[in-house]
Amino acid sequence: MATVLNGSFASPAANANYAIPGLGPNGAGLASYIFCGMNIWSLMATLLVSLIVYDQISYILQKGSIAGPNWKIPFVGPFFDSINPKMDKYKAQWASGELSCVSVFHKFVVIASTRDMARKVFNSPSFVRPCVVDVAIKLLRPQSWVFLDGKAHVDYRKGLNGLFTRQALEVYLPGQEEVYDKYFDMFVELSQEIHKGKPFPYMPMFRELMCAVSCRTFVGHYMSDSAVKKVADDYYKITAALDLVNFPWILPFTRPWYGKKAADMVIDLFAQCAAKAKVRMAAGGEISCIMDGWIKSMQDSEKYRQKIAKGLPVDPSEKPPHMLRDFSDFEISLTILTFLFASQDATSSAATWLFQLMADRPEILDKVREENMAVRNGDRDARFTMDMLENMPYTRAVVKETLRYRPPVIMVPYLVKKSFPVTDTYTAPKGSMIIPCCYPALHDPEVYPQPDSFDPDRWITGTAEAASKNWLVFGTGPHYCLGQTYATMNLMAMIGKASLQLNWDHHITPLSEEIKVFATIFPQASVLLHRMLLRSSICRSNYTLQDDCPLVFSYRSQ
């Protein structure tokens, strides 16, 4: 039987007369035809897998050869670790290599752990600029001087340098001592009258004390005591907002949202202070705070410019050391906020550790007392002077060792402005964050023998003073801390005065020497306790005793 072949057969796809249902003659509806068998969940799953793959490939390419996880937790990375950071995890990260990395949300982060790597970042302004964390720029405002580069940054800094000279620092001492008098009385009242001699966690009170000292130093009496208390209480919200490292948005009723509201309040208060200071200084008022000194320099510069513009004879001695432009109330306010931002958590940490360490090491406290009584010629009520503070080598050694042993700043985030060749084999990508770390350099056993021991004598009879490259407490490079001398002198004044006026005992717990990371580092405690205490009236709430530096204060007899 012969086989019949259909020579006219053509496949439907090749047959122009064959129509796919819903597909027009010009191919309209092709996409819908292709996806007609794919539901919305399939599309979403495909998109999710694609994004995960992209996220992983992006991380691997940016990581290159440096230490870090082989894979990233999709999208969020170690974000949840940043909500409750642990010092042990930081130490493990630093130990993993001189450069290591993580990736959180959209941000790739390079950690520079060694002294030399940290110093290279600090000293590379052409490649990096300070950025703190993402939300900090929103709180402090992007136009703040600390985030500026080049001439814009220099214009600010040249006028601010003169506010931290020896002569200027002496002007601020009376206001600082006034605050210490008030709060030391409050400490004794809390211990003896309110808590009846029972230990009470004083870390929140140290935060309030240091905020009050900073406000008096920065804006004098232009801010009322009640406003200072409001700033001290609400500043906690700014710190808590920064605890959410790398959270990319400010969402309503989150910590960054409350932090932004608190920052706006502080900016408004400081702007009001600036307006008052301009009026007072124009009327011939004397300098009593940092804001006064800065505004007087602006006004002196403007007077000089006007004389020159009018063609009046001007003696060369009338020219100010630095010719400053007139900064607006808002610009002044933002700058003062950065001073508070730089000092508040750092000095609160240092004060907490100082009082705790001195209580636990009475032989060291006795030496501090002896030295402070000697420089006052036996009069424990003698007021601060710079001569006095400059002749207290042991008290200075105690403060420096506290700052080394428990450094308030353990790392400083920078933004990479352009591809940064950190080493011969690794380049940090543009837009990433790079973080020079200070803690490892300050605990280097080759430079500081037995680095985990508290030993002030290493600054007197040892070689610690010679290790200037490891002393990264205040950073280095063009963005080093302007207030490093002020901060050291302020802590010396505080602990020196306290040693003569007060006795205090520390209720030691298993958590006393453990470290809690909360913007800076504190003795281990519950953040929930911090929040409850700061919302209370002079910390009078009932609480379950945890660590948080529980102390008992009393007056010291003559």
Side-chain angles (χ1 to χ4, degrees):
M1 184 176 186
T3 302
V4 179
L5 298 175
N6 183 357
S8 65
F9 174 80
S11 72
N15 189 343
N17 296 321
Y18 182 87
I20 299 174
L23 184 63
N26 296 320
L30 177 60
S32 62
Y33 173 70
I34 293 173
F35 293 111
C36 65
M38 190 177 293
N39 60 34
I40 185 64
W41 298 111
S42 299
L43 286 172
M44 291 180 65
T46 302
L47 178 61
L48 179 61
V49 170
S50 299
L51 290 173
I52 290 174
V53 170
Y54 173 80
D55 191 43
Q56 296 297 334
I57 292 174
S58 175
Y59 166 70
I60 292 169
L61 291 175
Q62 292 180 95
K63 175 182 179 295
S65 60
I66 64 175
N70 291 327
W71 300 96
K72 173 186 175 182
I73 299 174
F75 309 123
V76 298
F79 165 69
F80 294 104
D81 288 342
S82 71
I83 295 177
N84 186 24
K86 303 293 185 184
M87 194 65 182
D88 288 345
K89 289 191 175 182
Y90 281 130
K91 289 181 178 180
Q93 183 85 41
W94 297 330
S96 67
E98 65 176 5
L99 293 177
S100 60
C101 67
V102 296
S103 181
V104 185
F105 290 120
H106 63 299
K107 186 67 69 176
F108 182 73
V109 182
V110 179
I111 295 99
S113 300
T114 63
R115 178 199 70 184
D116 291 341
M117 286 293 102
R119 290 184 66 87
K120 182 165 187 176
V121 177
F122 281 130
N123 288 288
S124 298
S126 60
F127 290 101
V128 300
R129 65 172 175 82
C131 68
V132 196
V133 295
D134 283 355
V135 74
I137 297 176
K138 300 178 177 70
L139 268 57
L140 301 180
R141 307 296 175 85
Q143 60 267 53
S144 179
W145 78 285
V146 294
F147 302 127
L148 300 178
D149 275 329
K151 184 178 184 302
H153 181 81
V154 172
D155 282 346
Y156 273 91
R157 200 171 188 100
K158 70 182 181 182
L160 300 176
N161 284 330
L163 305 177
F164 295 94
T165 63
R166 184 188 187 280
Q167 181 180 1
L169 293 177
E170 185 139 37
V171 171
Y172 315 143
L173 288 176
Q176 293 165 13
E177 189 156 22
E178 172 190 324
V179 174
Y180 286 128
D181 286 336
K182 173 184 174 181
Y183 274 84
F184 288 174
D185 287 342
M186 189 185 298
F187 290 175
V188 174
E189 179 190 1
L190 279 168
S191 286
Q192 301 303 320
E193 298 183 21
I194 297 175
H195 295 287
K196 308 301 181 185
K198 295 180 180 179
F200 177 78
Y202 270 83
M203 192 278 279
M205 287 304 300
F206 293 144
R207 286 181 63 89
E208 184 178 325
L209 164 64
M210 300 316 292
C211 183
V213 170
S214 294
C215 286
R216 280 289 171 262
T217 304
F218 301 157
V219 301
H221 286 276
Y222 299 118
M223 184 180 288
S224 66
D225 288 346
S226 60
V228 169
K229 180 69 166 65
K230 174 68 173 170
V231 171
D233 287 353
D234 282 13
Y235 194 89
Y236 177 87
K237 299 173 184 176
I238 298 175
T239 303
L242 300 177
D243 199 33
L244 277 175
V245 177
N246 288 313
F247 196 74
W249 310 286
I250 294 183
L251 302 176
F253 309 110
T254 61
R255 283 186 282 184
W257 186 78
Y258 286 113
K260 178 66 163 57
K261 290 174 70 69
D264 291 346
M265 179 272 293
V266 176
I267 289 170
D268 184 59
L269 282 174
F270 284 160
Q272 293 176 35
C273 293
K276 295 175 186 176
K278 286 181 177 179
V279 172
R280 178 174 171 273
M281 297 312 294
E286 293 187 0
I287 296 173
S288 64
C289 61
I290 282 176
M291 186 176 280
D292 283 345
W294 193 20
I295 288 173
K296 187 176 189 307
S297 294
M298 296 177 209
Q299 293 177 346
D300 288 347
S301 296
E302 180 58 25
K303 289 176 183 177
Y304 182 83
R305 279 192 292 267
Q306 289 181 4
K307 284 186 176 181
I308 296 296
K310 294 176 181 178
L312 299 175
V314 180
D315 189 277
S317 64
E318 293 184 49
K319 185 176 181 179
H322 298 288
M323 293 297 294
L324 306 183
R325 68 175 176 86
D326 185 30
F327 291 88
S328 69
D329 295 349
F330 180 69
E331 289 175 314
I332 294 171
S333 177
L334 290 186
T335 303
I336 298 299
L337 177 60
T338 65
F339 290 171
L340 185 62
F341 178 82
S343 65
Q344 174 58 14
D345 291 311
T347 56
S348 298
S349 167
T352 303
W353 287 111
L354 258 177
F355 274 103
Q356 176 172 302
L357 290 166
M358 292 301 93
D360 295 346
R361 295 161 176 81
E363 72 283 0
I364 294 177
L365 179 56
D366 284 344
K367 291 182 181 179
V368 171
R369 283 189 173 122
E370 180 181 351
E371 181 176 72
N372 275 265
M373 186 63 82
V375 297
R376 289 168 170 81
N377 296 317
D379 179 7
R380 72 172 191 171
D381 295 321
R383 309 305 279 178
F384 296 147
T385 67
M386 286 298 292
D387 284 340
M388 183 187 298
L389 293 171
E390 288 171 346
N391 284 282
M392 300 195 306
Y394 191 78
T395 306
R396 175 185 290 275
V398 166
V399 169
K400 291 197 72 171
E401 179 65 355
T402 301
L403 296 175
R404 184 208 65 81
Y405 179 67
R406 290 292 184 262
V409 179
I410 59 176
M411 59 186 77
V412 185
Y414 278 71
L415 180 70
V416 179
K417 300 187 293 185
K418 60 182 180 180
S419 295
F420 179 18
V422 189
T423 69
D424 293 339
T425 59
Y426 184 75
T427 297
K430 178 182 177 180
S432 63
M433 184 183 288
I434 188 165
I435 303 179
C437 300
C438 308
Y439 190 97
L442 294 163
H443 284 75
D444 183 346
E446 294 185 6
V447 177
Y448 305 108
Q450 296 182 307
D452 293 325
S453 296
F454 183 81
D455 180 16
D457 286 331
R458 74 172 81 240
W459 298 96
I460 297 174
T461 59
T463 59
E465 282 290 357
S468 58
K469 286 188 175 182
N470 282 67
W471 183 248
L472 296 179
V473 171
F474 299 102
T476 187
H479 288 275
Y480 76 91
C481 178
L482 276 175
Q484 55 183 304
T485 302
Y486 157 70
T488 303
M489 292 290 189
N490 184 24
L491 292 168
M492 290 172 61
M494 178 197 72
I495 202 66
K497 184 178 181 68
S499 73
L500 299 180
Q501 303 289 335
L502 303 172
N503 289 317
W504 64 94
D505 297 309
H506 177 219
H507 178 75
I508 299 175
T509 78
L511 299 177
S512 294
E513 291 287 328
E514 296 298 317
I515 293 173
K516 168 70 183 180
V517 181
F518 184 65
T520 177
I521 58 176
F522 292 97
Q524 184 68 264
S526 166
V527 173
L528 180 63
L529 176 64
H530 298 174
R531 188 169 301 179
M532 179 274 291
L533 289 171
L534 285 167
R535 288 176 177 173
S536 67
S537 176
I538 323 182
C539 300
R540 300 187 185 203
S541 301
N542 293 323
Y543 59 91
T544 301
L545 184 63
Q546 301 185 48
D547 196 280
D548 222 8
C549 197
L551 301 170
V552 178
F553 281 93
S554 61
Y555 288 119
R556 185 170 176 79
S557 59
Q558 293 284 353

